[in-house]
Amino acid sequence: MSLADLPPLREALERHDLMARKSFGQHFLLDLNVTRKIARLAQIGEGDTVVEVGPGPGGLTRALLETGARVVAIEKDSRFLPLLAEVAEVADGRLELVEGDALKVDAAQAAGAPAHVVSNLPYNVGTQLLINWLTGPFRPLSMTLMFQKEVADRIVAQPDDDAYGRLAVISQTLCEARTVMDLPAKAFTPPPKVASAVVRLVPKADPPPGDVVAALERVTAAAFGQRRKMLRSSLKALGGAELCERAGVSPDARAEVIDLAGFLDLARATLSTPAG
Ligand code: SAM
């Protein structure tokens, strides 16, 4: 038997008597044409290692395996493991299943090689997982991730957009980020309340050093924590107007108009001593 001989996903779910659970953020993609498109957009191919969070019934997992990639799939809901084991049986040793919480699993160790991440993320932990992959010890080669549309918009937002904030600044400082696919709620079973979108993030070759990124997190937390205030006031604890002047940024501006370069200048300025 091969991957092509596996039963349709709906049939596999019925045979294993599996229903989606809200508490696990379960909204399944049961149309293999959609999951194949996501695998194509992720630019995954033979020889790649992919970490997939939340394989669930395995629709995206099947599409990733069809490319010839090796897949390490981390699933928290143990009910899906027997169904996924059937997929592993026909995957020529290229599917490894890890039962656990993706927030706690050491993904670098589980992958055992530099890896891409492709996932239809559980909405309740999606943003936290992205932040972990952007700033934590496991740095994926690329990330192709399904989010609620509202979160996707916050990742790719530009200055002056309503959705522009910390997530946009941190994501776009470290990665090239763009929305590659929009999906209506009805594409999922059961449909969520909101639309979704796939964002592809590719780490930049020359990111700022860790201390600058940590400073950027502090600056954006303060600036967007009081986004209607001028920077002289929202950044008061970090140096206020004096810090802005050293960074070459107007102290009268609000966070929402400052571009990536402006925030990086502010972050670097917090690390340098004020001129005496
Ligand atoms: N990939 C499947 C698909 O596209 O049909 C399922 C996607 S569903 C939106 C999210 C999946 O993540 C579910 O299978 C759920 O059980 C799993 N999940 C939820 N929280 C998780 C966590 N903390 N760690 C790992 N998997 C998790």
Side-chain angles (χ1 to χ4, degrees), residues 203-252:
K204 291 184 176 169
D206 195 12
D211 60 341
V212 176
V213 175
L216 189 62
E217 291 187 62
R218 290 192 291 274
V219 167
T220 52
F224 287 107
Q226 297 178 294
R227 62 187 295 142
R228 302 276 162 235
K229 289 199 172 162
M230 291 180 193
L231 294 174
R232 64 166 70 247
S233 151
S234 59
L235 296 184
K236 197 160 195 162
L238 295 168
E242 186 276 328
L243 175 84
C244 293
E245 269 146 28
R246 262 191 301 124
V249 171
S250 166
D252 297 338

mmCIF file of all heavy atoms in Angstrom, residues 203-252:
data_model
loop_
_atom_site.group_PDB
_atom_site.id
_atom_site.type_symbol
_atom_site.label_atom_id
_atom_site.label_comp_id
_atom_site.label_asym_id
_atom_site.label_seq_id
_atom_site.Cartn_x
_atom_site.Cartn_y
_atom_site.Cartn_z
ATOM 1 N N PRO A 203 13.404 33.410 7.346
ATOM 2 C CA PRO A 203 14.353 34.199 8.135
ATOM 3 C C PRO A 203 15.333 34.981 7.259
ATOM 4 O O PRO A 203 15.800 34.478 6.231
ATOM 5 C CB PRO A 203 15.088 33.141 8.964
ATOM 6 C CG PRO A 203 14.116 32.030 9.075
ATOM 7 C CD PRO A 203 13.371 32.003 7.758
ATOM 8 N N LYS A 204 15.623 36.214 7.675
ATOM 9 C CA LYS A 204 16.584 37.039 6.933
ATOM 10 C C LYS A 204 17.987 36.498 7.159
ATOM 11 O O LYS A 204 18.284 35.930 8.215
ATOM 12 C CB LYS A 204 16.485 38.486 7.409
ATOM 13 C CG LYS A 204 15.172 39.143 6.989
ATOM 14 C CD LYS A 204 15.123 40.605 7.371
ATOM 15 C CE LYS A 204 13.829 41.212 6.844
ATOM 16 N NZ LYS A 204 13.558 42.551 7.374
ATOM 17 N N ALA A 205 18.833 36.696 6.149
ATOM 18 C CA ALA A 205 20.187 36.138 6.211
ATOM 19 C C ALA A 205 21.015 36.827 7.297
ATOM 20 O O ALA A 205 21.891 36.214 7.903
ATOM 21 C CB ALA A 205 20.862 36.291 4.856
ATOM 22 N N ASP A 206 20.729 38.108 7.549
ATOM 23 C CA ASP A 206 21.589 38.876 8.437
ATOM 24 C C ASP A 206 20.746 39.583 9.511
ATOM 25 O O ASP A 206 20.640 40.814 9.512
ATOM 26 C CB ASP A 206 22.342 39.912 7.561
ATOM 27 C CG ASP A 206 23.505 40.498 8.304
ATOM 28 O OD1 ASP A 206 23.854 39.958 9.368
ATOM 29 O OD2 ASP A 206 24.030 41.525 7.829
ATOM 30 N N PRO A 207 20.143 38.807 10.414
ATOM 31 C CA PRO A 207 19.261 39.441 11.410
ATOM 32 C C PRO A 207 20.067 40.212 12.446
ATOM 33 O O PRO A 207 21.263 39.968 12.616
ATOM 34 C CB PRO A 207 18.564 38.242 12.060
ATOM 35 C CG PRO A 207 19.533 37.127 11.923
ATOM 36 C CD PRO A 207 20.290 37.364 10.647
ATOM 37 N N PRO A 208 19.444 41.156 13.150
ATOM 38 C CA PRO A 208 20.160 41.866 14.217
ATOM 39 C C PRO A 208 20.563 40.883 15.320
ATOM 40 O O PRO A 208 19.910 39.843 15.492
ATOM 41 C CB PRO A 208 19.126 42.857 14.756
ATOM 42 C CG PRO A 208 17.947 42.789 13.867
ATOM 43 C CD PRO A 208 18.044 41.570 13.025
ATOM 44 N N PRO A 209 21.629 41.207 16.069
ATOM 45 C CA PRO A 209 22.049 40.301 17.150
ATOM 46 C C PRO A 209 20.996 40.202 18.254
ATOM 47 O O PRO A 209 20.113 41.062 18.360
ATOM 48 C CB PRO A 209 23.340 40.945 17.672
ATOM 49 C CG PRO A 209 23.383 42.315 17.101
ATOM 50 C CD PRO A 209 22.481 42.368 15.913
ATOM 51 N N GLY A 210 21.135 39.157 19.085
ATOM 52 C CA GLY A 210 20.142 38.847 20.116
ATOM 53 C C GLY A 210 19.861 39.997 21.074
ATOM 54 O O GLY A 210 18.702 40.220 21.455
ATOM 55 N N ASP A 211 20.922 40.758 21.474
ATOM 56 C CA ASP A 211 20.670 41.833 22.448
ATOM 57 C C ASP A 211 19.815 42.940 21.824
ATOM 58 O O ASP A 211 18.982 43.559 22.490
ATOM 59 C CB ASP A 211 21.980 42.393 23.029
ATOM 60 C CG ASP A 211 22.907 42.986 21.975
ATOM 61 O OD1 ASP A 211 22.753 42.666 20.773
ATOM 62 O OD2 ASP A 211 23.783 43.786 22.336
ATOM 63 N N VAL A 212 19.987 43.171 20.515
ATOM 64 C CA VAL A 212 19.179 44.196 19.830
ATOM 65 C C VAL A 212 17.727 43.713 19.709
ATOM 66 O O VAL A 212 16.789 44.489 19.914
ATOM 67 C CB VAL A 212 19.774 44.537 18.441
ATOM 68 C CG1 VAL A 212 18.878 45.526 17.697
ATOM 69 C CG2 VAL A 212 21.187 45.105 18.591
ATOM 70 N N VAL A 213 17.552 42.412 19.422
ATOM 71 C CA VAL A 213 16.178 41.879 19.313
ATOM 72 C C VAL A 213 15.494 41.960 20.681
ATOM 73 O O VAL A 213 14.323 42.346 20.777
ATOM 74 C CB VAL A 213 16.187 40.431 18.770
ATOM 75 C CG1 VAL A 213 14.777 39.845 18.770
ATOM 76 C CG2 VAL A 213 16.778 40.404 17.360
ATOM 77 N N ALA A 214 16.237 41.637 21.742
ATOM 78 C CA ALA A 214 15.649 41.723 23.093
ATOM 79 C C ALA A 214 15.255 43.178 23.384
ATOM 80 O O ALA A 214 14.182 43.450 23.937
ATOM 81 C CB ALA A 214 16.644 41.202 24.127
ATOM 82 N N ALA A 215 16.116 44.130 23.001
ATOM 83 C CA ALA A 215 15.804 45.560 23.215
ATOM 84 C C ALA A 215 14.593 45.959 22.370
ATOM 85 O O ALA A 215 13.731 46.730 22.812
ATOM 86 C CB ALA A 215 17.021 46.412 22.856
ATOM 87 N N LEU A 216 14.517 45.413 21.162
ATOM 88 C CA LEU A 216 13.376 45.709 20.273
ATOM 89 C C LEU A 216 12.069 45.214 20.916
ATOM 90 O O LEU A 216 11.038 45.891 20.830
ATOM 91 C CB LEU A 216 13.612 44.992 18.942
ATOM 92 C CG LEU A 216 12.678 45.296 17.789
ATOM 93 C CD1 LEU A 216 12.764 46.759 17.381
ATOM 94 C CD2 LEU A 216 13.026 44.412 16.580
ATOM 95 N N GLU A 217 12.138 44.063 21.565
ATOM 96 C CA GLU A 217 10.933 43.552 22.244
ATOM 97 C C GLU A 217 10.512 44.506 23.365
ATOM 98 O O GLU A 217 9.322 44.782 23.541
ATOM 99 C CB GLU A 217 11.190 42.140 22.790
ATOM 100 C CG GLU A 217 11.337 41.122 21.662
ATOM 101 C CD GLU A 217 11.424 39.690 22.172
ATOM 102 O OE1 GLU A 217 10.476 39.229 22.786
ATOM 103 O OE2 GLU A 217 12.473 39.056 21.961
ATOM 104 N N ARG A 218 11.489 45.041 24.100
ATOM 105 C CA ARG A 218 11.157 45.972 25.200
ATOM 106 C C ARG A 218 10.564 47.271 24.647
ATOM 107 O O ARG A 218 9.565 47.785 25.132
ATOM 108 C CB ARG A 218 12.414 46.292 26.029
ATOM 109 C CG ARG A 218 12.919 45.115 26.854
ATOM 110 C CD ARG A 218 13.972 45.558 27.869
ATOM 111 N NE ARG A 218 15.238 45.963 27.251
ATOM 112 C CZ ARG A 218 16.218 45.121 26.933
ATOM 113 N NH1 ARG A 218 16.087 43.831 27.159
ATOM 114 N NH2 ARG A 218 17.340 45.562 26.385
ATOM 115 N N VAL A 219 11.210 47.789 23.580
ATOM 116 C CA VAL A 219 10.762 49.067 23.006
ATOM 117 C C VAL A 219 9.356 48.932 22.409
ATOM 118 O O VAL A 219 8.486 49.782 22.645
ATOM 119 C CB VAL A 219 11.762 49.551 21.917
ATOM 120 C CG1 VAL A 219 11.172 50.683 21.093
ATOM 121 C CG2 VAL A 219 13.074 49.993 22.564
ATOM 122 N N THR A 220 9.125 47.846 21.660
ATOM 123 C CA THR A 220 7.802 47.705 21.021
ATOM 124 C C THR A 220 6.719 47.420 22.066
ATOM 125 O O THR A 220 5.590 47.873 21.918
ATOM 126 C CB THR A 220 7.812 46.594 19.947
ATOM 127 O OG1 THR A 220 8.334 45.388 20.515
ATOM 128 C CG2 THR A 220 8.633 46.991 18.740
ATOM 129 N N ALA A 221 7.083 46.699 23.145
ATOM 130 C CA ALA A 221 6.096 46.452 24.216
ATOM 131 C C ALA A 221 5.656 47.783 24.810
ATOM 132 O O ALA A 221 4.459 48.039 24.998
ATOM 133 C CB ALA A 221 6.690 45.554 25.295
ATOM 134 N N ALA A 222 6.629 48.667 25.089
ATOM 135 C CA ALA A 222 6.294 49.961 25.695
ATOM 136 C C ALA A 222 5.548 50.855 24.695
ATOM 137 O O ALA A 222 4.518 51.447 25.025
ATOM 138 C CB ALA A 222 7.580 50.652 26.168
ATOM 139 N N ALA A 223 6.061 50.913 23.468
ATOM 140 C CA ALA A 223 5.485 51.854 22.481
ATOM 141 C C ALA A 223 4.062 51.454 22.096
ATOM 142 O O ALA A 223 3.174 52.305 22.028
ATOM 143 C CB ALA A 223 6.377 51.910 21.240
ATOM 144 N N PHE A 224 3.831 50.158 21.848
ATOM 145 C CA PHE A 224 2.490 49.737 21.426
ATOM 146 C C PHE A 224 1.570 49.464 22.620
ATOM 147 O O PHE A 224 0.365 49.366 22.455
ATOM 148 C CB PHE A 224 2.569 48.511 20.511
ATOM 149 C CG PHE A 224 3.095 48.844 19.143
ATOM 150 C CD1 PHE A 224 4.376 48.475 18.760
ATOM 151 C CD2 PHE A 224 2.312 49.547 18.234
ATOM 152 C CE1 PHE A 224 4.868 48.790 17.506
ATOM 153 C CE2 PHE A 224 2.792 49.868 16.976
ATOM 154 C CZ PHE A 224 4.075 49.493 16.606
ATOM 155 N N GLY A 225 2.170 49.366 23.825
ATOM 156 C CA GLY A 225 1.351 49.232 25.033
ATOM 157 C C GLY A 225 0.502 50.486 25.233
ATOM 158 O O GLY A 225 -0.567 50.428 25.833
ATOM 159 N N GLN A 226 0.995 51.604 24.729
ATOM 160 C CA GLN A 226 0.242 52.874 24.805
ATOM 161 C C GLN A 226 0.297 53.517 23.414
ATOM 162 O O GLN A 226 0.898 54.566 23.224
ATOM 163 C CB GLN A 226 0.909 53.793 25.822
ATOM 164 C CG GLN A 226 0.887 53.228 27.229
ATOM 165 C CD GLN A 226 1.597 54.140 28.203
ATOM 166 O OE1 GLN A 226 2.808 54.338 28.115
ATOM 167 N NE2 GLN A 226 0.845 54.722 29.116
ATOM 168 N N ARG A 227 -0.325 52.827 22.458
ATOM 169 C CA ARG A 227 -0.112 53.197 21.053
ATOM 170 C C ARG A 227 -0.678 54.559 20.674
ATOM 171 O O ARG A 227 -0.276 55.133 19.664
ATOM 172 C CB ARG A 227 -0.581 52.096 20.107
ATOM 173 C CG ARG A 227 -2.055 51.770 20.182
ATOM 174 C CD ARG A 227 -2.371 50.542 19.331
ATOM 175 N NE ARG A 227 -2.150 50.751 17.918
ATOM 176 C CZ ARG A 227 -1.643 49.846 17.080
ATOM 177 N NH1 ARG A 227 -1.305 48.661 17.523
ATOM 178 N NH2 ARG A 227 -1.516 50.098 15.800
ATOM 179 N N ARG A 228 -1.620 55.090 21.468
ATOM 180 C CA ARG A 228 -2.169 56.420 21.132
ATOM 181 C C ARG A 228 -1.301 57.552 21.682
ATOM 182 O O ARG A 228 -1.526 58.708 21.381
ATOM 183 C CB ARG A 228 -3.596 56.566 21.665
ATOM 184 C CG ARG A 228 -4.555 55.525 21.165
ATOM 185 C CD ARG A 228 -5.140 55.880 19.789
ATOM 186 N NE ARG A 228 -5.698 54.697 19.170
ATOM 187 C CZ ARG A 228 -5.368 54.246 17.960
ATOM 188 N NH1 ARG A 228 -4.464 54.882 17.219
ATOM 189 N NH2 ARG A 228 -5.918 53.173 17.467
ATOM 190 N N LYS A 229 -0.333 57.200 22.527
ATOM 191 C CA LYS A 229 0.512 58.251 23.118
ATOM 192 C C LYS A 229 1.729 58.536 22.248
ATOM 193 O O LYS A 229 2.172 57.685 21.486
ATOM 194 C CB LYS A 229 0.984 57.807 24.504
ATOM 195 C CG LYS A 229 -0.126 57.808 25.531
ATOM 196 C CD LYS A 229 0.447 57.833 26.922
ATOM 197 C CE LYS A 229 -0.667 58.025 27.933
ATOM 198 N NZ LYS A 229 -0.238 57.631 29.265
ATOM 199 N N MET A 230 2.286 59.738 22.411
ATOM 200 C CA MET A 230 3.532 60.059 21.718
ATOM 201 C C MET A 230 4.671 59.251 22.352
ATOM 202 O O MET A 230 4.624 58.944 23.542
ATOM 203 C CB MET A 230 3.843 61.546 21.869
ATOM 204 C CG MET A 230 2.880 62.434 21.126
ATOM 205 S SD MET A 230 3.368 64.147 21.396
ATOM 206 C CE MET A 230 1.922 64.983 20.782
ATOM 207 N N LEU A 231 5.708 58.997 21.548
ATOM 208 C CA LEU A 231 6.815 58.153 22.039
ATOM 209 C C LEU A 231 7.495 58.776 23.260
ATOM 210 O O LEU A 231 7.958 58.054 24.140
ATOM 211 C CB LEU A 231 7.847 57.933 20.923
ATOM 212 C CG LEU A 231 7.347 57.120 19.728
ATOM 213 C CD1 LEU A 231 8.406 57.101 18.629
ATOM 214 C CD2 LEU A 231 7.006 55.686 20.129
ATOM 215 N N ARG A 232 7.548 60.113 23.314
ATOM 216 C CA ARG A 232 8.215 60.762 24.453
ATOM 217 C C ARG A 232 7.569 60.283 25.764
ATOM 218 O O ARG A 232 8.231 60.199 26.783
ATOM 219 C CB ARG A 232 8.148 62.287 24.348
ATOM 220 C CG ARG A 232 6.745 62.843 24.411
ATOM 221 C CD ARG A 232 6.723 64.355 24.640
ATOM 222 N NE ARG A 232 7.190 65.131 23.490
ATOM 223 C CZ ARG A 232 8.296 65.851 23.486
ATOM 224 N NH1 ARG A 232 9.076 65.891 24.559
ATOM 225 N NH2 ARG A 232 8.628 66.555 22.423
ATOM 226 N N SER A 233 6.272 59.953 25.683
ATOM 227 C CA SER A 233 5.561 59.530 26.879
ATOM 228 C C SER A 233 5.512 57.993 27.005
ATOM 229 O O SER A 233 5.787 57.449 28.070
ATOM 230 C CB SER A 233 4.173 60.199 26.819
ATOM 231 O OG SER A 233 3.243 59.459 27.457
ATOM 232 N N SER A 234 5.200 57.291 25.902
ATOM 233 C CA SER A 234 5.108 55.822 26.006
ATOM 234 C C SER A 234 6.476 55.192 26.295
ATOM 235 O O SER A 234 6.552 54.126 26.900
ATOM 236 C CB SER A 234 4.495 55.219 24.730
ATOM 237 O OG SER A 234 5.263 55.535 23.608
ATOM 238 N N LEU A 235 7.553 55.855 25.857
ATOM 239 C CA LEU A 235 8.903 55.289 26.082
ATOM 240 C C LEU A 235 9.614 55.937 27.273
ATOM 241 O O LEU A 235 10.837 55.807 27.418
ATOM 242 C CB LEU A 235 9.769 55.466 24.808
ATOM 243 C CG LEU A 235 9.298 54.709 23.561
ATOM 244 C CD1 LEU A 235 10.293 54.891 22.421
ATOM 245 C CD2 LEU A 235 9.121 53.216 23.842
ATOM 246 N N LYS A 236 8.844 56.619 28.111
ATOM 247 C CA LYS A 236 9.434 57.378 29.218
ATOM 248 C C LYS A 236 10.408 56.534 30.056
ATOM 249 O O LYS A 236 11.534 56.954 30.328
ATOM 250 C CB LYS A 236 8.312 57.901 30.126
ATOM 251 C CG LYS A 236 8.757 59.008 31.032
ATOM 252 C CD LYS A 236 7.568 59.798 31.522
ATOM 253 C CE LYS A 236 8.085 61.092 32.111
ATOM 254 N NZ LYS A 236 7.095 62.098 32.241
ATOM 255 N N ALA A 237 9.993 55.319 30.403
ATOM 256 C CA ALA A 237 10.826 54.478 31.280
ATOM 257 C C ALA A 237 12.131 54.066 30.595
ATOM 258 O O ALA A 237 13.090 53.671 31.258
ATOM 259 C CB ALA A 237 10.041 53.241 31.695
ATOM 260 N N LEU A 238 12.171 54.155 29.256
ATOM 261 C CA LEU A 238 13.385 53.742 28.531
ATOM 262 C C LEU A 238 14.251 54.939 28.125
ATOM 263 O O LEU A 238 15.305 54.773 27.515
ATOM 264 C CB LEU A 238 12.994 52.944 27.275
ATOM 265 C CG LEU A 238 12.308 51.607 27.538
ATOM 266 C CD1 LEU A 238 11.699 51.041 26.261
ATOM 267 C CD2 LEU A 238 13.310 50.605 28.108
ATOM 268 N N GLY A 239 13.794 56.139 28.430
ATOM 269 C CA GLY A 239 14.596 57.320 28.093
ATOM 270 C C GLY A 239 13.785 58.431 27.438
ATOM 271 O O GLY A 239 14.307 59.525 27.197
ATOM 272 N N GLY A 240 12.537 58.169 27.090
ATOM 273 C CA GLY A 240 11.620 59.193 26.578
ATOM 274 C C GLY A 240 12.171 60.002 25.409
ATOM 275 O O GLY A 240 12.777 59.452 24.481
ATOM 276 N N ALA A 241 11.996 61.320 25.478
ATOM 277 C CA ALA A 241 12.367 62.204 24.369
ATOM 278 C C ALA A 241 13.869 62.131 24.079
ATOM 279 O O ALA A 241 14.296 62.141 22.920
ATOM 280 C CB ALA A 241 11.956 63.631 24.693
ATOM 281 N N GLU A 242 14.649 62.026 25.146
ATOM 282 C CA GLU A 242 16.123 61.993 24.976
ATOM 283 C C GLU A 242 16.524 60.746 24.160
ATOM 284 O O GLU A 242 17.346 60.826 23.247
ATOM 285 C CB GLU A 242 16.762 62.010 26.364
ATOM 286 C CG GLU A 242 18.279 62.118 26.381
ATOM 287 C CD GLU A 242 18.962 60.764 26.214
ATOM 288 O OE1 GLU A 242 18.399 59.735 26.661
ATOM 289 O OE2 GLU A 242 20.032 60.745 25.591
ATOM 290 N N LEU A 243 15.898 59.614 24.471
ATOM 291 C CA LEU A 243 16.174 58.360 23.730
ATOM 292 C C LEU A 243 15.780 58.535 22.258
ATOM 293 O O LEU A 243 16.547 58.186 21.349
ATOM 294 C CB LEU A 243 15.384 57.205 24.341
ATOM 295 C CG LEU A 243 15.495 55.885 23.575
ATOM 296 C CD1 LEU A 243 16.751 55.128 23.994
ATOM 297 C CD2 LEU A 243 14.276 55.000 23.800
ATOM 298 N N CYS A 244 14.608 59.121 22.026
ATOM 299 C CA CYS A 244 14.128 59.315 20.653
ATOM 300 C C CYS A 244 15.108 60.195 19.878
ATOM 301 O O CYS A 244 15.438 59.913 18.720
ATOM 302 C CB CYS A 244 12.749 59.980 20.650
ATOM 303 S SG CYS A 244 11.460 58.928 21.330
ATOM 304 N N GLU A 245 15.570 61.254 20.519
ATOM 305 C CA GLU A 245 16.489 62.160 19.819
ATOM 306 C C GLU A 245 17.794 61.454 19.458
ATOM 307 O O GLU A 245 18.301 61.602 18.351
ATOM 308 C CB GLU A 245 16.733 63.420 20.657
ATOM 309 C CG GLU A 245 15.703 64.489 20.278
ATOM 310 C CD GLU A 245 15.290 65.370 21.444
ATOM 311 O OE1 GLU A 245 16.103 65.553 22.370
ATOM 312 O OE2 GLU A 245 14.132 65.841 21.414
ATOM 313 N N ARG A 246 18.305 60.652 20.384
ATOM 314 C CA ARG A 246 19.544 59.909 20.080
ATOM 315 C C ARG A 246 19.319 58.913 18.940
ATOM 316 O O ARG A 246 20.225 58.615 18.169
ATOM 317 C CB ARG A 246 20.027 59.155 21.320
ATOM 318 C CG ARG A 246 21.113 59.928 22.054
ATOM 319 C CD ARG A 246 21.787 59.115 23.126
ATOM 320 N NE ARG A 246 20.861 58.643 24.122
ATOM 321 C CZ ARG A 246 20.708 57.369 24.438
ATOM 322 N NH1 ARG A 246 21.412 56.433 23.841
ATOM 323 N NH2 ARG A 246 19.839 56.996 25.368
ATOM 324 N N ALA A 247 18.084 58.382 18.841
ATOM 325 C CA ALA A 247 17.773 57.407 17.792
ATOM 326 C C ALA A 247 17.408 58.086 16.473
ATOM 327 O O ALA A 247 17.264 57.416 15.444
ATOM 328 C CB ALA A 247 16.617 56.519 18.264
ATOM 329 N N GLY A 248 17.244 59.409 16.518
ATOM 330 C CA GLY A 248 16.853 60.124 15.293
ATOM 331 C C GLY A 248 15.395 59.911 14.943
ATOM 332 O O GLY A 248 15.001 59.949 13.767
ATOM 333 N N VAL A 249 14.559 59.676 15.960
ATOM 334 C CA VAL A 249 13.125 59.449 15.757
ATOM 335 C C VAL A 249 12.367 60.568 16.474
ATOM 336 O O VAL A 249 12.730 60.937 17.601
ATOM 337 C CB VAL A 249 12.731 58.067 16.358
ATOM 338 C CG1 VAL A 249 11.220 57.888 16.381
ATOM 339 C CG2 VAL A 249 13.384 56.931 15.577
ATOM 340 N N SER A 250 11.319 61.094 15.839
ATOM 341 C CA SER A 250 10.584 62.207 16.463
ATOM 342 C C SER A 250 9.897 61.760 17.758
ATOM 343 O O SER A 250 9.096 60.821 17.741
ATOM 344 C CB SER A 250 9.523 62.741 15.491
ATOM 345 O OG SER A 250 8.627 63.560 16.218
ATOM 346 N N PRO A 251 10.177 62.459 18.875
ATOM 347 C CA PRO A 251 9.518 62.091 20.137
ATOM 348 C C PRO A 251 8.014 62.362 20.118
ATOM 349 O O PRO A 251 7.274 61.841 20.944
ATOM 350 C CB PRO A 251 10.190 62.978 21.184
ATOM 351 C CG PRO A 251 11.122 63.890 20.468
ATOM 352 C CD PRO A 251 11.118 63.583 19.019
ATOM 353 N N ASP A 252 7.563 63.159 19.153
ATOM 354 C CA ASP A 252 6.129 63.473 19.072
ATOM 355 C C ASP A 252 5.358 62.458 18.221
ATOM 356 O O ASP A 252 4.136 62.546 18.100
ATOM 357 C CB ASP A 252 5.928 64.878 18.468
ATOM 358 C CG ASP A 252 6.536 65.941 19.370
ATOM 359 O OD1 ASP A 252 6.698 65.658 20.573
ATOM 360 O OD2 ASP A 252 6.877 67.029 18.872
#
